[in-house]
């Protein structure tokens, strides 16, 4: 019963969120100077005014915004997400293709930032007040305040241009047919962009793990464990990790939103053909259907991240799991 | 009593001072002394209750013995365990083995670790844990519970069972009874009595004087960060004439079962202590002598820190 209620409530929240996101994005696009017609035919088109009017009439561009929104939303629900102007393909296909590239990138960055950040945070907390702690903290704060594209350019100029260790961009070697690209080459092209993206996500989780562990280490049960003979590494391994792992995982799942935001810039800098650069391209070329499609898609993605965090918490935290069974 | 004095004390605390470094407005460092020249001894087989008002720093004493004071604390004076100096190194090597700490509440258990593993600790064996649970009537089902699932009484017994996992000789119990009903509190005390009868020394820190009357062999009266009198429970039960320090006498008078007469004024704050005797400002017997340094002295089988005591 409780579970049904939870699932129902979650679905409800997701639907209202999606409705709100689509209304808001649609309103923003409608208010923006983007003219879908110009975006479609180009600025120096030789098309006559009558022909333009006919297209506008056919597309329903003269209808009031509410009616246009309902037409778009109705089609969207039926599975017709429209056709991307920039890519000349259905929006769904574009998102699908592009996301399959991005997902590897995001996954690597996410795992990389999660593990390294967590360990760095734990290390800093254990060595609280030491030089190492200060270095880690300063590094995190610097990263936190650095813009993604700038870090991306820095990484690019160091590792790709100066050192020449990694390719300067794209997802595969230039001039090679898609079917000839090897997995190794793909991974090789993934390293720099995922490193950039990961490094940007690292500071949040590091600072969080550090703060949380310091908090835990000053709690009463640590005092008692110490009084029972545990030394600092036993305290950290037996009690510290146990108590910070779950909240840290939650924070990392909640960071899905930043991951999506970061990917738009990171992919642009590295000309990586993922969903982030598709978003940039859509924005630059006034590709309204793709913009809206990605907006809704990103909302689902972020929502899924938070949902996973919630579910994990319920499954792993005994206070919730067994508390529910008892209550 | 004489016989007892000849036995070597299990725990011997002499002139213990504990102070904390605090930062005041700006970055001015200030030292706040919370324990002053505190001396006491715990002998094997006895329960010494340290009784005093809540928030007067009694727990600091327990933490100092265990060596778990926070980093900004500084200690002076001597703590000896079985004649040997109990320094940081020695504390680290024997705590949890020879010296067991029993904390106040379930808050001192890791909320995410099952009770059995927690009681076992770092060196405990499963069988020992089972024996301890059987001894304190904890059912099999308690083993798999998390601290939040324990009732007050269960939590109490779980905490006590941690103390019997190893052969502890000295048990330091910090406020073991608040939140328990009278029956549970009695049971807890009974447990301490058993441990003492087995030869352990128990340092029982409490704000509940009735509890101290029922459980302890001797009571140390704690006032404003020091101990003003140590006497046998018999002296306390005999009434104020048998006691030595004006505070202990006034304290007895203030009990609901006696005159219920409050003592004027309040305990001085650690940052703002009077010179000499800490009780002097509230004492009916105060004189010029009270402003000098007062040492602990022996009177009639007890110890007292007062120049007027007889």
């Amino acid at each position: 019963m409780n579970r049904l209620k939870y699932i129902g409530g979650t679905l409800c929240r997701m639907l209202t969120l999606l409705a709100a996101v689509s209304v808001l994005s649609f309103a923003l696009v409608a208010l923006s100077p983007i003219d879908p017609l110009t975006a479609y035919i180009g600025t120096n088109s030789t098309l006559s005014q009558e022909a333009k009017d006919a297209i506008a009439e056919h597309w329903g561009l003269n209808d009031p915004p509410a009616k246009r929104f309902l037409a778009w939303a109705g089609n969207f629900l039926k599975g017709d997400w429209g056709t991307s102007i920039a890519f000349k393909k259905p929006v769904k296909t574009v998102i699908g293709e592009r996301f399959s590239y991005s997902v590897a990138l995001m996954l690597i960055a996410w795992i990389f930032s999660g593990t390294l950040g967590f360990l760095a945070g734990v290390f800093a907390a254990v060595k609280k007040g030491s030089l190492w702690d200060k270095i880690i903290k300063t590094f995190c704060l610097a990263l936190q305040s650095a813009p993604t594209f700038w870090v991306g350019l820095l990484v690019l100029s160091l590792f790709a241009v100066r050192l020449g260790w990694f390719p300067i961009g794209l997802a595969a070697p230039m001039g090679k047919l898609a079917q000839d690209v090897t997995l190794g080459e793909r991974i090789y092209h993934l390293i720099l962009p995922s490193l950039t993206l990961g490094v940007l996500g690292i500071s949040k989780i590091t600072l969080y793990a550090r703060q949380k562990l310091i908090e835990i280490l000053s709690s009463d049960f640590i005092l008692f464990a110490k009084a029972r003979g545990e030394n600092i590494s036993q305290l950290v391994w037996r009690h510290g990790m146990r108590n910070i792992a779950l909240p840290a995982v939650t924070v990392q799942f909640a960071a899905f939103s930043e991951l999506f935001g970061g990917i738009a810039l990171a992919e642009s800098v590295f000309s990586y053909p993922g969903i982030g650069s598709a978003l940039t391209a859509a924005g630059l070329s006034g590709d309204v259907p793709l913009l809206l499609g990605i907006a809704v898609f990103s909302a689902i993605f972020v929502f899924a991240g938070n949902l996973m965090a919630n579910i994990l918490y319920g499954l792993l935290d005994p206070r919730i799991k067994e508390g529910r069974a008892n209550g | 009593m004489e016989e007892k004095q000849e036995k070597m004390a299990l725990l011997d605390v002499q002139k213990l001072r504990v102070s904390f470094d605090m930062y005041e407005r700006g970055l001015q460092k200030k030292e706040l002394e919370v324990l002053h020249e505190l001396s006491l001894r715990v002998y094997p087989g006895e329960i010494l209750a340290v009784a005093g008002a809540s928030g007067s720093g009694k727990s600091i004493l327990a933490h100092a013995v265990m060596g778990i004071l926070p980093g900004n604390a500084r200690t002076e004076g001597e703590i000896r365990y079985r004649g040997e100096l109990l320094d940081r190194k020695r504390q680290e090597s024997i705590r949890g083995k020879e010296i067991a700490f029993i904390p106040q509440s379930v808050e001192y258990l890791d909320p995410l670790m099952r009770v059995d593993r927690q009681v076992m600790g770092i060196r405990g064996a499963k069988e020992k844990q089972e024996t301890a649970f059987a001894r304190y009537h904890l059912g099999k089902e308690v083993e798999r519970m998390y601290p939040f699932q324990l009732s007050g009484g269960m939590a109490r017994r779980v905490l006590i069972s941690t103390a019997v996992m190893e052969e502890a000789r000295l048990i330091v119990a910090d406020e073991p009874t608040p939140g328990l009903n009278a029956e549970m509190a009695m049971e807890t005390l009974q447990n301490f009595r058993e441990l003492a009868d087995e030869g352990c020394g128990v340092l029982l820190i409490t704000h509940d004087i009735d509890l101290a009357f029922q459980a302890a062999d001797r009571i140390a009266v704690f006032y404003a960060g020091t101990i003003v009198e140590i006497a046998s429970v018999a002296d306390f039960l005999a009434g104020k004439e048998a006691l030595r320090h004006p505070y202990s006498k006034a304290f007895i008078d203030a009990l609901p079962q006696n005159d219920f007469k409050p003592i004027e004024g309040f305990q001085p704050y650690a940052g703002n202590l009077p010179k000499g005797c800490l009780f002097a400002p509230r004492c009916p017997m105060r004189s010029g002598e009270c402003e000098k340094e007062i040492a602990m002295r022996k009177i009639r089988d007890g110890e007292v820190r007062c120049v007027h005591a007889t």
Side-chain angles (χ1 to χ4, degrees), chain A residues 255-266:
Chain A
F256 266 31
S257 59
E258 278 148 58
L259 205 58
F260 211 95
I263 209 165
L265 290 161

Side-chain angles (χ1 to χ4, degrees), chain B residues 263-283:
Chain B
I263 316 170
E264 297 276 321
F266 33 81
Q267 289 205 10
Y269 164 64
N272 188 20
L273 295 175
K275 256 171 71 183
C277 174
L278 299 178
F279 184 63
R282 303 167 76 184
C283 184

Side-chain angles (χ1 to χ4, degrees), chain B residues 1-15:
Chain B
M1 205 66 195
E2 272 309 301
E3 192 188 70
K4 218 178 205 175
Q5 303 291 358
E6 275 161 28
K7 264 201 270 182
M8 186 168 54
L10 200 55
L11 179 72
D12 188 354
V13 179
Q14 288 304 320
K15 300 201 169 170

Side-chain angles (χ1 to χ4, degrees), chain B residues 62-77:
Chain B
H63 292 188
V65 172
M66 299 308 300
I68 51 172
L69 288 169
N72 64 337
R74 269 192 288 169
T75 57
E76 281 171 58

Side-chain angles (χ1 to χ4, degrees), chain B residues 110-125:
Chain B
D110 186 336
L112 297 182
M113 193 186 271
R114 290 191 195 272
V115 166
D116 57 346
R117 276 201 61 199
Q118 202 143 191
V119 170
M120 278 153 65
I122 42 168
R123 36 179 109 81

Side-chain angles (χ1 to χ4, degrees), chain A residues 11-325:
Chain A
L11 272 176
C12 255
R13 261 182 301 147
M14 175 148 162
L15 290 178
T16 43
L17 175 79
L18 290 183
V21 166
S22 31
V23 169
L24 201 68
S25 333
F26 198 92
L28 282 175
V29 170
L31 290 173
S32 76
I34 292 178
D35 177 17
L37 188 60
T38 321
Y40 182 59
I41 57 177
T43 34
N44 6 323
S45 157
T46 50
L47 230 54
S48 67
Q49 190 58 41
E50 287 80 44
K52 286 182 186 171
D53 289 343
I55 297 175
E57 190 56 43
H58 176 68
W59 280 2
L61 291 181
N62 301 325
D63 294 339
K67 197 174 167 192
R68 272 152 55 199
F69 173 72
L70 288 176
W72 172 80
N75 288 332
F76 193 91
L77 287 178
K78 276 182 233 148
D80 175 11
W81 293 22
T83 306
S84 159
I85 298 170
F87 296 92
K88 313 271 186 280
K89 277 187 226 169
V91 168
K92 261 160 100 177
T93 318
V94 175
I95 291 180
E97 276 173 11
R98 291 304 189 109
F99 188 65
S100 65
Y101 277 98
S102 293
V103 95
L105 178 59
M106 286 195 278
L107 200 68
I108 294 174
W110 189 73
I111 292 172
F112 167 72
S113 69
T115 31
L116 197 67
F118 183 77
L119 293 177
V122 167
F123 182 73
V126 172
K127 304 260 172 217
K128 185 188 160 201
S130 71
L131 185 64
W132 280 111
D133 179 31
K134 287 189 184 111
I135 292 173
I136 291 176
K137 232 168 39 183
T138 314
F139 188 70
C140 285
L141 291 175
L143 275 181
Q144 191 93 298
S145 25
T148 314
F149 71 89
W150 181 75
V151 176
L153 288 174
L154 222 58
V155 171
L156 198 64
S157 61
L158 180 66
F159 291 103
V161 179
R162 186 76 53 87
L163 297 171
W165 290 353
F166 294 103
I168 202 156
L170 305 176
M174 236 185 285
K176 218 170 177 187
L177 287 175
Q179 61 263 32
D180 299 336
V181 178
T182 61
L183 185 67
E185 281 167 339
R186 275 182 192 260
I187 293 173
Y188 186 50
H189 281 81
L190 258 174
I191 294 176
L192 271 197
S194 52
L195 184 76
T196 308
L197 196 59
V199 158
L200 286 164
I202 227 169
S203 55
K204 194 176 174 186
I205 186 76
T206 305
L207 292 174
Y208 182 81
R210 176 185 176 275
Q211 186 54 39
K212 196 82 194 164
L213 186 58
I214 288 174
E215 219 172 88
I216 293 289
L217 286 180
S218 63
S219 59
D220 286 342
F221 64 86
I222 291 294
L223 209 61
F224 182 46
K226 208 164 147 191
R228 294 193 66 207
E230 295 191 23
N231 59 32
I232 181 73
S233 63
Q234 285 162 329
L235 292 174
V236 170
W237 281 109
R238 275 169 61 89
H239 305 288
M241 291 299 198
R242 184 185 296 267
N243 279 276
I244 64 166
L246 205 48
V249 168
T250 315
V251 164
Q252 191 64 358
F253 269 107
F256 266 31
S257 59
E258 278 148 58
L259 205 58
F260 211 95
I263 209 165
L265 290 161
E267 287 183 353
S268 304
V269 172
F270 291 96
S271 340
Y272 189 86
I275 201 156
S277 52
L279 179 65
T280 324
L284 291 176
S285 58
D287 189 346
V288 178
L290 187 57
L291 267 180
L292 291 178
I294 294 180
V296 173
F297 181 78
S298 67
I300 297 175
F301 180 74
V302 172
F303 189 86
N306 286 312
L307 183 67
M308 275 187 258
N310 282 343
I311 291 175
L312 264 182
Y313 228 118
L315 288 179
L316 298 179
D317 190 329
R319 283 166 297 191
I320 297 178
K321 193 177 70 180
E322 309 215 350
R324 203 160 37 203

